[in-house]
Amino acid sequence: SVVVQRGSEYLLLVKGADNVMMERAAAPDKQLEVDLKEFSVQGLRTLVIGSRSLTKMEVDAWKAKYDWAQRETDQREKKLEDVAE
């Protein structure tokens, strides 16, 4: 995942396995689901890319949690994973 800033706009871009990404989709696309099912029947592997606009407040709140997890010495990896979720 990556957060991109363009001017005053923030965009979260994520990629992942189709089954994981479709569970997280705010508005799943039925045609995409049909296509992904067909690809899997053919034995093809897929990645799905998603995006979401973020407010500066959301970015700042996440960054504060991430910075805190980075400084932790006890279970740092687990805390970073939790923040990333």
Side-chain angles (χ1 to χ4, degrees):
S1 300
V2 64
V3 174
V4 178
Q5 179 182 3
R6 190 168 69 185
S8 62
E9 297 179 331
Y10 295 89
L11 187 64
L12 171 65
L13 301 171
V14 296
K15 71 170 177 66
D18 55 4
N19 59 327
V20 173
M21 295 295 290
M22 295 307 286
E23 288 175 6
R24 295 179 179 185
D29 182 305
K30 293 298 178 192
Q31 185 58 51
L32 177 59
E33 290 178 10
V34 169
D35 292 341
L36 290 171
K37 178 70 173 169
E38 177 60 29
F39 295 152
S40 70
V41 167
Q42 294 177 29
L44 302 173
R45 297 185 65 194
T46 58
L47 281 178
V48 173
I49 298 173
S51 66
R52 181 167 83 88
S53 294
L54 300 174
T55 65
K56 180 165 181 6
M57 185 182 293
E58 288 174 307
V59 172
D60 290 345
W62 176 84
K63 180 79 166 88
K65 290 177 187 175
Y66 179 81
D67 290 346
W68 166 80
Q70 276 285 75
R71 291 188 303 269
E72 287 296 299
T73 56
D74 184 42
Q75 296 184 342
R76 177 183 295 143
E77 291 302 317
K78 169 79 169 96
K79 291 173 182 173
L80 286 169
E81 287 175 18
D82 291 346
V83 169
E85 188 60 36

